[in-house]
Amino acid sequence: MSKHKSPHNKPNPLRTVAAVYRIVAPDGRFYLGASKRVGRRFSDHRSKGRRGCHENVNLQASFDTHGIDAHQFVLLARVYELDKLEATEQTWLSFFLDECPEKLLNRSPTAGKANTGIRRTESVKAARRGEGNANASLSAASVAAIRSTLSERGSEWGLRSKLAREHGVCTATISKIERGQRWGSISPVVKEALECASAA
């Protein structure tokens, strides 16, 4: 009796491939990384993105805005000598920092250090906050409305999922807005909007 393997159980050909890769968003911005096992790392990115807990907040915001499946996971350079992987990643990272720094979702200018920040001018930082962020799908007024609804009906079952559908974001984004982990930089704007709404 022959055994037929399900197509869903096919081995991932990238599982043991070492390479530098990019995760490209629909708006042209991208995250650059490297891994000894690219297939496993791609799965890790997707899993964390779906749970809303990716360590790179820029990439998570892009996932929240466009959806994970809208991103392209592509190999940039395969590396056959593992001791040269980080150096190869740094070469590509430095290249993109020189050529198109505004497109990078990476938070660090150094390969292997994902959570230390790239130094940006205050004007660039300001432009990336709130509605100035290229990945922002919410306005200050929308955030104000979300927080107002959560304040009034926070105990209502399924409310966060409903708000996520109404505003075209994931439930994790709604929860992070509620906890002040998203859109924290525009809190004065939100406060003013809420005051205006309550006074109306």
Side-chain angles (χ1 to χ4, degrees):
M1 183 176 178
S2 61
K3 293 183 179 180
H4 298 282
K5 290 185 177 180
S6 167
H8 299 291
N9 294 328
K10 287 182 178 180
N12 187 339
L14 297 179
R15 188 172 181 81
T16 59
V17 170
V20 178
Y21 62 86
R22 291 198 302 166
I23 301 176
V24 186
D27 60 11
R29 302 176 74 203
F30 60 90
Y31 172 86
L32 185 140
S35 176
K36 296 177 182 178
R37 299 177 179 85
V38 171
R40 181 180 295 179
R41 184 61 177 136
F42 281 175
S43 296
D44 186 49
H45 282 301
R46 291 188 177 97
S47 176
K48 290 180 177 179
R50 290 190 186 96
R51 289 182 284 124
C53 62
H54 201 286
E55 61 270 15
N56 184 297
V57 295
N58 297 331
L59 184 55
Q60 182 65 58
S62 186
F63 285 159
D64 291 345
T65 300
H66 303 292
I68 295 173
D69 292 339
H71 291 71
Q72 297 180 45
F73 290 69
V74 296
L75 297 188
L76 188 60
R78 187 165 180 174
V79 179
Y80 294 92
E81 298 177 56
L82 294 183
D83 59 341
K84 295 182 179 180
L85 181 62
E86 188 170 311
T88 304
E89 179 187 7
Q90 186 62 60
T91 297
W92 281 104
L93 186 56
S94 297
F95 170 78
F96 287 122
L97 281 169
D98 288 338
E99 294 296 317
C100 52
E102 73 285 352
K103 291 187 176 182
L104 274 172
L105 294 172
N106 295 64
R107 300 184 64 210
S108 172
T110 305
K113 295 184 178 180
N115 294 311
T116 55
I118 294 175
R119 292 186 179 276
R120 306 182 191 274
T121 64
E122 287 303 316
S123 60
V124 171
K125 290 178 182 178
R128 290 168 67 97
R129 296 187 187 116
E131 292 174 80
N133 190 318
N135 284 321
S137 59
L138 296 170
S139 65
S142 296
V143 175
I146 289 169
R147 286 182 173 162
S148 177
T149 301
L150 288 169
S151 176
E152 295 172 0
R153 299 158 49 197
S155 60
E156 183 179 317
W157 188 86
L159 177 62
R160 286 150 193 81
S161 296
K162 181 180 179 181
L163 287 171
R165 290 193 298 272
E166 289 177 353
H167 293 276
V169 297
C170 71
T171 306
T173 298
I174 298 298
S175 297
K176 288 182 179 182
I177 288 173
E178 183 178 19
R179 296 194 298 267
Q181 294 175 315
R182 289 282 166 87
W183 285 79
S185 62
I186 53 92
S187 54
V189 178
V190 172
K191 183 178 178 181
E192 182 180 350
L194 284 169
E195 289 174 348
C196 291
S198 61

